[in-house]
Amino acid sequence: MTVSPPAAARPPRLVLRFAIYSAIALVLAWVAIFWVVRKEAEERARQDVAMHATSVATRIAPTLRDSDFAGPVTPERQAELDAAVEGELLGSLIRIKLWSRGRVVTYSNDHAIIGERLDDASEIDGALAGGTVQHVTTLNAEGGSGEDVKAIESYVPVLVGESTRPAGVLEVYEAYAPVAAEIHETVTPIAVALGLALLLLYAALFPILRQVTRALENRHKGLEEHASALAQALDERRRAEVRLSHAERNYRSLVEQLPLVMYITRLDETSSCIYMSPQIEEMIGYTALECMSDPEFFVRILHPEDRARTIAAHREAYASGESFAIRYRMLAKDGRAVWVHDEVTIAKDQSGRPMHAQGFLVDVTPQKAAAEELERRHAELGALHETALLLIDELDAQKLLERIAVQAGELVGTQDTYVYLREGEELRVALGTGAFAGNVGRRIRKGEGLAGRVWESAQPLAVDDYHAWEGRLPGFESAPFHAVVGVPLRSRTEVVGVLGLAHAAPGRTFDAPEIAVLSRFAHLASLALESARLYSAARASEERFRSLVSNVPGAIFRCAVDEDWTMEFISDAIESISGWPASDFMDNRVRSFASIIHPEDAERVQAEVGQALREKRGYSLEYRVIRRDGDVCWVLERGLQATRSNQITYLDGAIFDITERRAREEERARLASIVESSNDAITSAALDLCFTSWNAGAERMFGYSAEEVAGKPITLLMPPERQEEALEILRQVVEEDRVAYLETVRSREGGGLVHVAFTYSPIRDSSGTVVGVSAIGQDVTERKRAEAAIRESEAKFRSFVETTEEWVWAMDVDCLHTYSNPAVERILGYRPEEVVGRTWYELIVEEDREEVALATSAHAQGTEGWSGVVVRCLHQDGSVRHLESTATPVLDAAGELVGWRGTDRDVTHRIQAEADRERLLAAEKEARTAAEAAQRDLATQNERLRELDRLKDEFIALVSHELRTPLTSIRGYTELLLDGEAGELTDDQRQFLGVVERNSHRLLHLVGDLLFLAQVEAGKLVLDVGALDLGSVASESVETARPQAEAKGITLTLATGPVPLIAGDRARIAQLLDNLVSNAIKFTPEAGRVDVRVRALRNQAILEVRDSGMGIPAGEQEFLFQRFFRTSTAAEQAIQGTGLGLAISKAIVDAHAGRITVASEEGSGTTFRVALPLHRHAELPEQTEVAL
Amino acid sequence: MRPLVLVADDDPDILALVRFRLERDGYEVLSAPDGETALDLALARTPDLALLDVMMPRLDGYEVTRRLREHGPTTTIPIILLTARVQEPDVERGFEAGADDYVTKPFSPQALGERVQAALGR
């Protein structure tokens, strides 16, 4: 091949080119814009002209008449019009014409062509239609006179008078030159400006262009250099080749003259050919070039039977480097086998290393011809056999078809093949290769085309030149093949398809042997196709089977009859049953199936399966397997012996999980056994109330056997008077669907009654409908009897308990009384029914409750009773009773404590006697202890008292000082004023100061009282005791109070009997008397009485102060001697007082070891009575006169 | 010459009251608002009689009395204590200190004047 280098063309001057192009583009743009602008200007000018013309027409219209348009105007009228238009013909307006509607010029200011009619003046029509028509012309183009210049004609319609229809047309000529000048004036600056703008743009663009083009140029230059280098290299190589081929040709011409085939091959596996002389083509049909171009050529054309042998011989020689000769067959291009004699020499280089093999081939076929015919048959068969094997191996239908096509093609040396397969009454192209690749899916009917005919005749059919064949199908006119052959594919006798092959090369035809081979091949292919079809059917069937197996609820298996139950197959369901994946069991891969069978069942399984096999029958057995999670699972296995053609025995079967069913069955069995073993009579009846079941318990209870009662009505057992009751209950059970209980009497077989407690329940079917009734009956005859006995016994005990003297009781664990005998009423005052329902604690004195509760809970803990415990209880009347309690625990059947029973005895008298004695002893002991303690405390107490004394003293001193000091000033100054020390006083002043004086005195008195009380309370009241005549003290007090009494008109008397001297503090006793007397006066209304009486009574002196006052309410008397207490009446009547007087009086009396009492009646008066002890050595005073 | 009476009381109102009364009765009066002043005045002027309040700041009436009795010129002058304390121990204490008489508060100015007069033996 010659490769011409790219022309080393000079790179174009890109810069220049771009510059020129852009310049041209810019100039063109300039021209275009200029043209547009000019056009616009011209249009504007024209419009101006048209407007000018219209205005002229408007201006001269009034001077025009219809007659001016009727025809050429008269000379007179012409003169008139000339005058009219004279004024208009100024400036650029150079001529005016009038036209009639009939295109006749009726007037012209230059007087030319008036009266002429111009047929081609179409502008007139335009103007008459209402528009202005314009036109560029020369002045005299339509006739005229004078200078002929370029002008613009404007035709304008003229309206005369009121008419709306143009009477004619006015034509105005306007000189073009001024218009053009105006346009020029407008356009020139624009053109110049635009030009400049574009120039600037160009100037800006140019450097960019330069840059771009320079880059392109550089690249171009690089490519160019590369191309020239390449061209040079190629040139050299070509020259070298020429030199080589020159030498070679000399040898070759020599070799190629010889009457044998010369060759040179490499020393490789396939003996690939370096050189082959052209004579080879005569020998085997392949050109020398074909031999050399395919490295595998030698191997490929070797006859298959000779191939291995020949190649082995070659390889050996190549290794040893020794020459050898061998005979073998080659397959010619046309399929013939050519026997050749091959003389091989190994060429070596100078160092003796093998370089290549060379040799010559001689066709020895003629010698072999006879043998060859024989062998051809063998070869053919061999090929077919080989093909058949290939085909048989392929089970996938589509792949098989491809293989058939390829194999058939190889048999006759073509790649253009097709296979038709029958589909109903048509043949369909199932596969096409080479030229037929596009025909897949094409259909033909019987008799149509080549394949249709082959089908019809069921015979091979070959056509040498398809294009010339009369049966050619439409659409195959330009088919790229010439010779075609079709052979039928048969299944038994029926044609199931057609195998077709074609040769593309003209002249290549199918000969008879080829057709025969193809026919045989077709037969094999048919078999293979059938086999594939069967296989795919089997596979579909197997898939169905597989899905069936995997969907069966149990595990399907096939296993060997051995100790392990080796699984050949077991479906995945085994995983859900056993927890182990199915694959574990296949061929005992991980574990054997026997290993998961429960050890207790393994032997039985072996035995039963063995038995079934010996008897050649199926088996069904249940056993346990140990699941992966350790649970035991019940399975049902059904199996059957299966024997394969190879006489090996297998088990086919299925394993189902029946754990649940088994559990249900066990449950049912358990229930049944419970029912059967129950001591209760358990029976059932259908809705017709006839017995349907009858257990052993029922038989024992009623004496009838199950057979005897079967189907009998249930009334069989009922005494007549009990039937109604039972039927009503049963009706409720059935209709209201509920459980009912009934305790009744039933007859026994052979007479006798039995007490039965029945529980009736409805029986439902699976849909929940009640279909019968069950009855559970318990024999309560014994219980009834026992109950009666208990009742009798209880009555006996009750009468005993109820008549006993002791309190007999029962209580539960919470000490709540559940029983009490009547004795409780005698002991505690409550009736038995009042005690029952009360707790024990409620009856116990409050302070003992906690202790008793503790003790009781301890007893409860130990489940024990108590004995001889004395408890203090409250009698209903509130008094305390001592009860001696004894109790025993009450236990239930389980030994749990449920309460106590016991008796209580009243031991109050005994206890009290004991208590008295103890109290006396205790008191004595206590007194002794107290005395000792007092002794001990005395010293410390004295000390403390002294300290208190001191504090008290200080307090009192402080208070008296602080209160008395201001009082000193008040009273002192008041006195000064009253004494007149500050001048004489008016009566009012004196009176007012009297009030101040009196109140300050009250205040002083109060302070004194308070201090006195404070002293008393501090124990600081020190009495200056001496023998005292109470009568004289009383007399003094009465006299002191007399003015006060008189002021209120109160009668104040004193009665003094013979009173011995008392031991007393005179000042204090006087204070006492003063208090009592002034109090009495204070609380006695005007004109009342106050009587003071002193007398002796036994060893006491009695002082009484009686008033006739308002009295003291009884409820207040007890508070009377408290500090600051004031009676309600005193408060109501606003009687002054501090409520300290009586408290002080009592303190004084107490200090003298006397007693003060009060007796009062509301409304009638009060009497204070003071009793004072007499002086120890006192005697009655000698004087016994009665005082005044 | 009018007799000189020393009056000591921490309450100025009472001081003024006593002073007024005594001056009306024709005495020359020295007044002291506390015990210390009273002692100084008494030692300096040797009054004919001293009226001393018991509860006074700095030196109380008892103390002033006791100190007055320790010095020559004042050992013999009559001393009357004015006191709001009426308890027996208080009275006794006054006499122990050397007082001649005592007047309990509140007192009547008239009565006080009579007591003073009596003490001066006039």
Side-chain angles (χ1 to χ4, degrees):
Chain A
M1 177 202 150
T2 1
V3 180
S4 53
R10 201 185 127 69
R13 294 290 299 186
L14 281 174
V15 181
L16 193 62
R17 225 186 276 173
F18 276 118
I20 291 165
Y21 290 160
S22 51
I24 290 167
L26 289 172
V27 168
L28 281 173
W30 183 82
V31 168
I33 293 166
F34 181 71
W35 186 78
V36 168
V37 168
R38 194 190 150 80
K39 192 88 180 156
E40 182 61 24
E42 203 175 283
E43 186 58 31
R44 287 263 297 282
R46 275 182 179 233
Q47 275 172 15
D48 288 350
V49 172
M51 270 170 64
H52 192 190
T54 312
S55 69
V56 169
T58 315
R59 273 196 301 277
I60 65 169
T63 60
L64 295 175
R65 292 193 294 263
D66 280 339
S67 60
D68 294 337
F69 296 96
V73 293
T74 58
E76 298 82 34
R77 182 62 186 157
Q78 198 172 356
E80 279 170 37
L81 290 172
D82 285 348
V85 303
E86 187 75 15
E88 300 295 335
L89 292 169
L90 290 169
S92 57
L93 191 73
I94 46 184
R95 185 184 291 173
I96 291 174
K97 274 185 191 167
L98 289 180
W99 294 77
S100 75
R101 295 179 66 85
R103 299 181 184 178
V104 174
V105 179
T106 57
Y107 167 79
S108 172
N109 70 320
D110 66 348
H111 304 171
I113 66 168
I114 291 177
E116 268 184 44
R117 178 189 165 88
L118 291 180
D119 285 337
D120 58 341
S122 58
E123 301 88 347
I124 302 299
D125 294 338
L128 285 172
T132 300
V133 180
Q134 284 189 323
H135 215 294
V136 177
T137 183
T138 52
L139 186 61
N140 293 340
E142 290 167 7
S145 60
E147 197 185 357
D148 192 9
V149 295
K150 204 174 178 188
I152 300 173
E153 299 174 324
S154 299
Y155 297 86
V156 186
V158 182
L159 300 175
V160 177
E162 297 303 309
S163 169
T164 55
R165 186 165 171 265
V169 174
L170 174 76
E171 184 183 5
V172 178
Y173 289 77
E174 191 125 17
Y176 190 79
V179 175
E182 196 187 330
I183 293 168
H184 188 71
E185 212 172 304
T186 313
V187 168
T188 310
I190 294 171
V192 171
L194 191 67
L196 280 171
L198 291 174
L199 256 168
L200 276 171
L201 181 67
Y202 184 74
L205 207 61
F206 197 70
I208 300 167
L209 284 173
R210 268 186 77 83
Q211 226 166 334
V212 171
T213 50
R214 195 163 293 159
L216 284 170
E217 263 174 29
N218 284 342
R219 187 167 159 70
H220 191 94
K221 210 173 282 171
L223 283 170
E224 207 171 76
E225 280 164 10
H226 187 71
S228 76
L230 203 67
Q232 207 173 345
L234 282 167
D235 209 31
E236 271 175 23
R237 190 166 148 194
R238 195 169 54 221
R239 272 202 294 278
E241 276 174 8
V242 166
R243 276 201 303 277
L244 266 173
S245 64
H246 199 71
E248 189 199 341
R249 206 179 299 138
N250 291 339
Y251 289 106
R252 193 179 284 190
S253 66
L254 184 70
V255 166
E256 288 172 2
Q257 303 300 316
L258 290 169
L260 36 80
V261 177
M262 298 284 293
Y263 66 84
I264 304 169
T265 65
R266 295 189 184 86
L267 302 178
D268 54 14
E269 290 283 306
T270 55
S271 304
S272 54
C273 196
I274 299 168
Y275 170 75
M276 182 68 79
S277 64
Q279 294 94 317
I280 189 75
E281 194 169 355
E282 279 173 39
M283 192 189 281
I284 55 171
Y286 294 102
T287 63
L289 197 63
E290 278 180 294
C291 302
M292 286 182 280
S293 61
D294 182 358
E296 305 264 326
F297 181 78
F298 180 62
V299 178
R300 193 158 60 80
I301 63 160
L302 272 176
H303 194 283
E305 285 178 21
D306 300 343
R307 195 174 287 153
R309 169 175 65 89
T310 311
I311 290 172
H314 277 86
R315 199 170 294 155
E316 199 180 318
Y318 295 165
S320 65
E322 283 172 20
S323 303
F324 71 105
I326 185 171
R327 278 190 181 197
Y328 52 85
R329 280 164 292 179
M330 279 180 162
L331 292 171
K333 199 170 191 173
D334 53 12
R336 284 176 299 124
V338 179
W339 276 101
V340 294
H341 176 85
D342 187 2
E343 285 284 343
V344 188
T345 310
I346 309 299
K348 294 173 185 137
D349 64 7
Q350 285 145 349
S351 62
R353 209 169 52 214
M355 282 166 61
H356 51 255
Q358 57 190 29
F360 57 87
L361 301 168
V362 182
D363 186 353
V364 292
T365 310
Q367 293 96 314
K368 282 277 184 178
E372 197 227 20
E373 179 52 33
L374 203 65
E375 279 175 17
R376 196 181 67 84
R377 303 287 293 198
H378 281 289
E380 221 170 68
L381 282 171
L384 283 173
H385 178 67
E386 210 171 312
T387 307
L389 283 179
L390 275 171
L391 296 182
I392 290 294
D393 268 4
E394 185 54 64
L395 292 173
D396 181 89
Q398 189 60 32
K399 283 201 186 132
L400 175 67
L401 283 172
E402 280 167 21
R403 210 172 264 193
I404 287 171
V406 170
Q407 293 293 334
E410 275 182 12
L411 282 176
V412 295
T414 178
Q415 291 175 342
D416 303 326
T417 58
Y418 58 85
V419 181
Y420 273 105
L421 289 178
R422 233 181 98 180
E423 282 188 5
E425 291 309 305
E426 283 181 328
L427 286 176
R428 179 177 165 278
V429 179
L431 185 94
T433 62
F436 300 102
N439 290 353
V440 175
R442 190 186 171 96
R443 289 162 188 278
I444 57 166
R445 282 191 291 277
K446 209 178 217 176
E448 272 180 1
L450 185 81
R453 291 189 188 197
V454 171
W455 178 16
E456 198 171 43
S457 63
Q459 291 298 323
L461 177 60
V463 173
D464 287 345
D465 186 356
Y466 186 74
H467 295 285
W469 184 50
E470 82 284 358
R472 190 186 68 194
L473 280 175
F476 282 91
E477 288 86 357
S478 56
F481 47 80
H482 285 88
V484 189
V485 65
V487 292
L489 295 170
R490 269 183 283 219
S491 170
R492 295 186 193 88
T493 56
E494 201 182 346
V495 176
V496 296
V498 175
L499 170 66
L501 300 101
H503 278 302
R508 178 75 171 86
T509 58
F510 293 96
D511 56 16
E514 277 178 333
I515 292 168
V517 169
L518 283 174
S519 292
R520 286 197 203 99
F521 175 80
H523 182 60
L524 285 173
S526 306
L527 287 175
L529 274 173
E530 180 68 10
S531 154
R533 194 180 61 77
L534 286 173
Y535 171 75
S536 65
R539 210 163 64 170
S541 153
E542 196 231 309
E543 261 164 37
R544 276 197 299 278
F545 168 73
R546 186 181 291 277
S547 108
L548 189 70
V549 163
S550 61
N551 289 321
V552 162
I556 308 292
F557 68 89
R558 166 169 288 185
C559 73
V561 184
D562 57 18
E563 288 205 339
D564 291 332
W565 303 115
T566 305
M567 290 293 165
E568 184 181 330
F569 169 80
I570 186 157
S571 68
D572 290 338
I574 194 66
E575 185 164 357
S576 69
I577 295 173
S578 72
W580 302 106
S583 55
D584 280 12
F585 300 109
M586 307 276 194
D587 299 325
N588 301 333
R589 243 173 255 162
V590 180
R591 59 182 55 73
S592 70
F593 190 76
S595 74
I596 66 162
I597 297 177
H598 195 286
E600 290 174 21
D601 293 348
E603 208 171 311
R604 180 167 59 86
V605 170
Q606 285 283 1
E608 286 193 28
V609 174
Q611 178 77 16
L613 290 179
R614 277 192 295 282
E615 294 170 14
K616 299 209 184 304
R617 57 169 172 83
Y619 64 91
S620 167
L621 75 137
E622 291 177 10
Y623 57 89
R624 285 164 292 175
V625 299
I626 313 254
R627 286 174 51 85
R628 188 180 197 162
D629 55 20
D631 285 354
V632 172
C633 164
W634 274 97
V635 297
L636 166 70
E637 179 179 321
R638 285 176 195 281
L640 192 65
Q641 179 182 346
T643 309
R644 289 236 188 111
S645 50
N646 51 13
Q647 298 299 308
I648 295 170
T649 305
Y650 283 94
L651 282 179
D652 283 351
I655 296 168
F656 303 94
D657 185 346
I658 55 158
T659 310
E660 265 180 51
R661 198 196 78 196
R662 193 82 189 189
R664 274 201 306 277
E665 279 174 4
E666 278 173 12
E667 179 67 22
R668 200 173 297 149
R670 204 155 45 237
L671 286 174
S673 88
I674 288 167
V675 166
E676 204 45 42
S677 62
S678 173
N679 258 332
D680 294 344
I682 301 173
T683 62
S684 66
L687 289 179
D688 60 3
L689 299 183
C690 288
F691 283 115
T692 51
S693 73
W694 185 262
N695 76 339
E699 188 171 337
R700 279 193 295 278
M701 198 178 293
F702 302 113
Y704 294 101
S705 69
E707 293 75 35
E708 282 172 302
V709 295
K712 297 262 171 59
I714 60 170
T715 49
L716 176 72
L717 300 175
M718 297 177 188
E721 71 277 10
R722 297 287 197 173
Q723 285 190 4
E724 203 170 311
E725 161 199 72
L727 294 176
E728 172 58 20
I729 288 280
L730 290 172
R731 190 195 60 73
Q732 285 175 11
V733 170
V734 172
E735 289 178 9
E736 295 169 24
D737 193 6
R738 64 182 181 84
V739 176
Y741 306 94
L742 176 67
E743 207 168 299
T744 186
V745 176
R746 289 284 177 268
S747 330
R748 284 178 57 85
E749 202 246 341
L753 294 176
V754 54
H755 287 273
V756 191
F758 278 115
T759 303
Y760 294 107
S761 321
I763 300 173
R764 296 184 196 83
D765 66 7
S766 55
S767 69
T769 315
V770 175
V771 296
V773 180
S774 75
I776 302 175
Q778 208 174 4
D779 186 344
V780 293
T781 313
E782 274 308 311
R783 201 186 76 201
K784 289 266 173 194
R785 202 172 294 152
E787 274 172 9
I790 285 165
R791 268 198 300 277
E792 195 186 333
S793 152
E794 200 204 45
K796 252 187 280 181
F797 278 101
R798 186 179 291 277
S799 79
F800 171 68
V801 163
E802 288 185 354
T803 52
T804 185
E805 285 282 292
E806 294 192 340
W807 176 26
V808 180
W809 51 260
M811 62 189 187
D812 64 14
V813 277
D814 298 321
C815 293
L816 194 73
H817 284 103
T818 52
Y819 171 77
S820 170
N821 71 342
V824 73
E825 191 165 2
R826 192 182 51 74
I827 295 171
L828 290 179
Y830 295 103
R831 287 193 304 283
E833 57 268 30
E834 287 176 310
V835 172
V836 171
R838 274 193 208 206
T839 64
W840 193 24
Y841 305 121
E842 286 175 67
L843 300 172
I844 291 169
V845 296
E846 201 168 344
E847 54 267 41
D848 291 355
R849 279 176 196 165
E850 204 172 323
E851 193 187 331
V852 173
L854 277 170
T856 312
S857 72
H859 291 312
Q861 208 88 49
T863 324
E864 60 194 15
W866 56 87
S867 174
V869 175
V870 175
V871 178
R872 291 194 295 167
C873 286
L874 280 170
H875 192 274
Q876 196 185 18
D877 64 12
S879 61
V880 174
R881 293 299 152 110
H882 291 81
L883 302 186
E884 192 177 76
S885 180
T886 298
T888 52
V890 180
L891 307 179
D892 65 8
E896 291 289 317
L897 182 78
V898 294
W900 291 274
R901 264 194 303 267
T903 56
D904 279 19
R905 208 145 47 90
D906 188 346
V907 294
T908 309
H909 293 298
R910 195 188 81 202
I911 293 291
Q912 266 172 356
E914 282 171 8
D916 285 349
R917 200 171 62 235
E918 269 172 29
R919 197 164 52 244
L920 283 170
L921 283 170
E924 193 189 315
K925 194 176 172 188
E926 200 179 316
R928 240 192 338 262
T929 320
E932 285 164 11
Q935 204 86 40
R936 271 199 307 280
D937 288 348
L938 215 54
T940 50
Q941 260 178 15
N942 280 343
E943 190 59 37
R944 202 161 63 236
L945 278 173
R946 267 195 291 279
E947 174 66 12
L948 273 173
D949 249 14
R950 202 179 54 73
L951 288 171
K952 203 85 174 181
D953 280 356
E954 276 177 15
F955 172 74
I956 289 166
L958 186 75
V959 169
S960 47
H961 180 258
E962 291 304 320
L963 291 174
R964 281 170 196 268
T965 304
L967 273 171
T968 307
S969 290
I970 294 169
R971 287 181 64 80
Y973 283 100
T974 309
E975 189 187 306
L976 289 181
L977 286 171
L978 284 170
D979 287 352
E981 297 287 354
E984 280 305 306
L985 297 176
T986 65
D987 286 349
D988 282 349
Q989 286 171 336
R990 188 168 292 280
Q991 195 192 333
F992 295 163
L993 282 170
V995 174
V996 173
E997 202 273 331
R998 213 165 45 248
N999 279 292
S1000 68
H1001 181 75
R1002 265 180 69 197
L1003 197 55
L1004 182 63
H1005 196 76
L1006 175 65
V1007 170
D1009 283 355
L1010 278 170
L1011 284 170
F1012 182 78
L1013 272 176
Q1015 275 178 305
V1016 169
E1017 273 169 31
K1020 291 282 289 181
L1021 181 60
V1022 180
L1023 294 180
D1024 183 8
V1025 180
L1028 186 68
D1029 177 4
L1030 189 58
S1032 67
V1033 179
S1035 166
E1036 279 170 25
S1037 284
V1038 167
E1039 287 319 309
T1040 312
R1042 194 165 300 282
Q1044 201 188 341
E1046 280 169 3
K1048 285 180 81 180
I1050 290 171
T1051 312
L1052 176 61
T1053 66
L1054 171 68
T1056 311
V1059 179
L1061 296 177
I1062 60 161
D1065 182 326
R1066 187 181 178 88
R1068 296 300 163 220
I1069 296 296
Q1071 192 183 357
L1072 166 68
L1073 272 158
D1074 286 349
N1075 270 344
L1076 292 176
V1077 173
S1078 70
N1079 243 17
I1081 293 166
K1082 205 153 63 178
F1083 288 98
T1084 301
E1086 289 187 5
R1089 291 182 63 86
V1090 172
D1091 299 309
V1092 180
R1093 197 172 156 211
V1094 179
R1095 59 192 170 97
L1097 185 68
R1098 288 197 288 277
N1099 54 350
Q1100 285 180 315
I1102 306 297
L1103 167 73
E1104 280 175 341
V1105 180
R1106 177 202 302 261
D1107 64 48
S1108 63
M1110 59 206 61
I1112 301 161
E1116 298 180 1
Q1117 289 175 12
E1118 59 174 306
F1119 307 114
L1120 213 51
F1121 298 103
Q1122 291 180 4
R1123 278 177 297 163
F1124 303 109
F1125 178 79
R1126 305 210 62 215
T1127 61
S1128 54
T1129 40
E1132 273 164 29
Q1133 297 185 15
I1135 295 168
Q1136 287 178 345
T1138 55
L1140 288 174
L1142 285 174
I1144 288 169
S1145 301
K1146 186 171 188 321
I1148 292 169
V1149 173
D1150 287 349
H1152 285 86
R1155 273 187 72 193
I1156 182 167
T1157 55
V1158 65
S1160 179
E1161 205 173 306
E1162 225 173 330
S1164 64
T1166 306
T1167 302
F1168 283 96
R1169 188 169 180 270
V1170 177
L1172 292 168
L1174 295 175
H1175 192 264
R1176 201 172 291 168
H1177 308 295
E1179 286 165 18
L1180 278 172
E1182 282 159 34
Q1183 300 149 316
T1184 55
E1185 332 150 82
V1186 177
L1188 295 169
Chain B
M1 188 176 165
R2 291 188 295 168
L4 181 62
V5 179
L6 171 66
V7 184
D9 200 317
D10 59 335
D11 187 328
D13 292 340
I14 292 173
L15 205 54
L17 177 72
V18 174
R19 188 189 186 98
F20 180 85
R21 179 73 261 165
L22 293 181
E23 280 179 351
R24 273 294 168 95
D25 288 348
Y27 300 101
E28 193 179 338
V29 180
L30 285 173
S31 28
D34 58 69
E36 236 168 46
T37 315
L39 187 62
D40 290 349
L41 276 173
L43 294 177
R45 302 278 304 271
T46 320
D48 297 303
L49 184 143
L51 268 174
L52 302 175
D53 184 25
V54 170
M55 291 181 75
M56 280 190 299
R58 276 180 262 225
L59 288 176
D60 64 11
Y62 302 136
E63 188 60 27
V64 175
T65 304
R66 206 173 50 74
R67 293 203 192 174
L68 286 179
R69 290 296 183 234
E70 284 172 2
H71 294 83
T74 55
T75 44
T76 53
I77 61 166
I79 297 174
I80 301 172
L81 291 178
L82 294 172
T83 179
R85 295 187 163 185
V86 293
Q87 281 83 11
E88 299 281 339
D90 298 326
V91 177
E92 276 170 24
R93 198 174 160 196
F95 287 133
E96 277 168 16
D100 296 293
D101 197 0
Y102 74 100
V103 174
T104 57
K105 284 183 179 177
F107 50 81
S108 150
Q110 180 73 45
L112 183 73
E114 285 162 11
R115 297 283 274 277
V116 169
Q117 198 174 358
L120 287 172
R122 302 203 326 199

